Amino acid sequence: MSAIDLRSDTITKPTAAMREAMANAEVGDDVFGDDPTVNALETYVAKLLGKEEAVYMPSGTMTNQVALRVHTEPGDEIILESQAHIYYYEGGAPAALSGVMCRLIEGKKGIFTAPDLRGVLHPENIHFPKTKLVCLENTHNRGGGSILPLSNIQEIALVCQEHNLKLHLDGARLWNACEATGISEAEYAKPFDTVSVCFSKGLGAPVGSALVGSKDLMERARRFRKMYGGGMRQAGIIAAGALYALKHHRERLSEDRINAKILAEGLSAIEGIKINPEDVQTNIVIFETEDIPATALVGKLEEKGVALLAIGANKLRAVTNLMVTREQVEKVPALVEAALGDLASGEALRDRAIPTDRKIQSY
Ligand code: TLP
């Protein structure tokens, strides 16, 4: 894999200290509820987010989908931003696992407002599905790591209360929002019935996510976690990595935020690249090419030792992370410029069409 890997913050590998914590973890059988390290992690996360209980699960997709199932019955409607991870990147799971209808609101950089929400609510009437749940995402992945303002969340929560709707947060990268704003996890979590957080993204743990909420909701969540195959046994080994990451890697997210800004500023100076560095608030940098296909640029950059993702015909994503240093990030704009130069030259025009066997992933 490329030396400078900016495909995602999920690519991080455990540090030596994290591995040591994992190797020394006390374990039990978590399905019986007696893995001390999983229990310690759940207690720690619930407290940090100011909720009664937490449930540890293998992935962010599972925590989100269990939350959907906890709050709904088949045929219900849920409301999400149009590019929400739950809708966009979870394999159609809302339909397959919960049997719910997704009503989408197009936001700006992943953010919609309380009036936008009011605008899509229908009257209670047998013609309409029952609307049960609103889901928000903070930070918003396809919104470019954008931070949801607390006031926006609180206004949306008020509409939910008025209409008896539950509110779920996909907080896979909530840590990044907290680091950037200084707002605590508990304060951000307060308006929500359930919050999903991930340890395997910016925090750098190898595996796992948690769902937090009230005791009753978490009891129901444990049932669906088991049903979906997420009841793990000596999970303390991986939970120890998550606990270590929570205690030691939240503060360092400022490095990823600063590196993302440096990258965005460098990219904004390149002819043929469109990005406004002001839009970059956390560790995700989304930029566009003017005419070169995103997959072609990804292919060229791979040859130069930089890995990014194509996330649209002309859109690319870079995510700064624990494995990428400031020095490396500073090299990327020049490499992007060189790659664009190669692709623009007549001889290299054929490179614009990426042969299918190159398997450049596009997200
Ligand atoms: N996102 C991944 C890919 O799926 C796109 C990434 O590289 O960013 N919520 C949000 C906001 C996420 O960004 C992700 C992962 C998830 C949930 C799902 O987490 P996992 O991968 O643990 O199922």
Coordinates of all heavy atoms in Angstrom, one line a residue, residues 81 215 273:
E81 N -30.3 12.9 6.5 CA -29.7 13.8 5.5 C -29.4 12.9 4.2 O -29.1 11.8 4.4 CB -28.4 14.5 6.0 CG -28.0 15.7 5.3 CD -27.2 15.5 4.0 OE1 -26.5 14.5 4.0 OE2 -27.4 16.3 3.1
K215 N -31.0 2.7 29.8 CA -30.9 1.3 30.2 C -31.9 0.4 29.4 O -31.5 -0.6 28.8 CB -31.3 1.2 31.7 CG -30.7 0.0 32.4 CD -30.9 0.2 33.9 CE -30.5 -1.0 34.7 NZ -31.2 -2.2 34.3
I273 N -7.7 22.2 -9.4 CA -8.3 21.6 -8.2 C -9.2 22.6 -7.6 O -8.8 23.8 -7.5 CB -7.2 21.2 -7.2 CG1 -6.3 20.1 -7.7 CG2 -7.8 20.8 -5.8 CD1 -6.9 18.7 -7.8

